């Protein structure tokens, strides 16, 4: 379905079987992804839970406006809040991958009463220092200009080769082609604005604020993703009610590289009421 917010159409897929009193699960994809990211888990997670799966602004079927302010992290959080208001939903479980994980974490901090459980896959709280943020903003701006100048195909060619996704080279060819086809459907303008507006260097840093989270938190990282394993280790030092699972034989995109393990871990975490 589409929900119009401030004149912009936001696409939200809704599926699953939410029973009385069952908390819905919101799924947030990563940069260059869309709601189809989570299609392999519809049956697993949707048997007894409503799944709410938006295309984050700049991605998928959600419109990609020109105004850069619409892509800022605070704006994206506000859109998600409005979507839940529109659907009449008070509280959710929230799962976010990479960029979607940063959005999920920000939402949980700004709207703590709306999140029961938080799952962060290969995600970070942002960058700790202004020097780091400034450097990252410069790099993201350069990449955004590359997308605008050279187009979506050249960008996806580049994106597939960055070190973060090296472990995905071991996936079956059909899986890699499916991911590439999905990435190519995105708006070049939407991706460029998303990089600048929602990039790690542009968002607020939540280091030092993690101990304010009141919900239960699960961190998931792939054993081969050393950068985000290090980030998760430092996050665990600040988080109160949290656990961390490292998935062997996986890199950054655990849900793609080890989907069965990923699906089971998430299901167990969501169904465990004793934690």
């Amino acid at each position: 379905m589409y929900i119009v917010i401030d004149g912009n159409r936001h696409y939200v897929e809704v599926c699953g079987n939410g029973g009385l009193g069952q908390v819905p699960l919101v799924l947030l994809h990563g940069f260059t992804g869309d709601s189809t990211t989570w299609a392999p888990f519809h049956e697993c997670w949707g048997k007894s839970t409503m799944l709410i799966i938006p295309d984050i602004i700049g991605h998928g079927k959600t419109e990609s406006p020109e105004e850069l302010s619409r892509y800022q992290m605070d704006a994206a959080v506000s859109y998600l809040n409005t979507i839940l208001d529109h659907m009449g939903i008070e509280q959710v479980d929230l799962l976010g991958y990479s960029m979607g994980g940063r959005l999920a974490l920000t939402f949980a901090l700004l709207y703590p009463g709306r999140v029961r459980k938080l799952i962060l896959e290969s995600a970070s709280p942002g960058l700790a220092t202004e020097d780091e943020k400034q450097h990252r903003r410069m790099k993201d701006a350069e990449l955004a200009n590359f997308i605008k100048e050279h187009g979506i195909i050249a960008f996806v060619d580049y994106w597939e080769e960055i070190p973060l996704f090296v472990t995905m080279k071991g996936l079956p060819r059909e899986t890699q082609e499916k991911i590439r086809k999905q990435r190519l459907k995105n708006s070049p303008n939407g991706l460029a604005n998303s990089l600048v507006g929602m990039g790690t260097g542009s968002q607020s840093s939540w280091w030092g604020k993690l101990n304010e989270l009141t919900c239960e938190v699960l961190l998931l990282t792939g054993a081969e993703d050393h950068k985000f394993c290090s980030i998760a280790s430092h996050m665990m030092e600040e988080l109160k009610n949290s656990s961390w699972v490292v998935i062997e034989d996986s890199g950054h995109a655990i849900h793609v590289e080890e989907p069965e393990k990923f699906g089971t871990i998430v299901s167990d975490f969501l169904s465990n009421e004793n934690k």
Side-chain angles (χ1 to χ4, degrees), residues 254-273:
I254 309 162
H255 63 282
V256 177
E257 299 178 50
E258 293 290 342
E260 290 188 13
K261 292 179 184 178
F262 183 83
T264 299
I265 291 168
V266 169
S267 293
D268 289 348
F269 175 73
L270 294 176
S271 62
N272 189 343
E273 300 294 340

Side-chain angles (χ1 to χ4, degrees), residues 207 210 219 229-239 244:
W207 291 108
L210 295 177
L219 305 182
C229 282
S230 177
I231 291 171
S233 177
H234 290 299
M235 290 176 70
M236 288 295 291
E237 296 173 4
E238 292 193 30
L239 291 166
W244 173 27

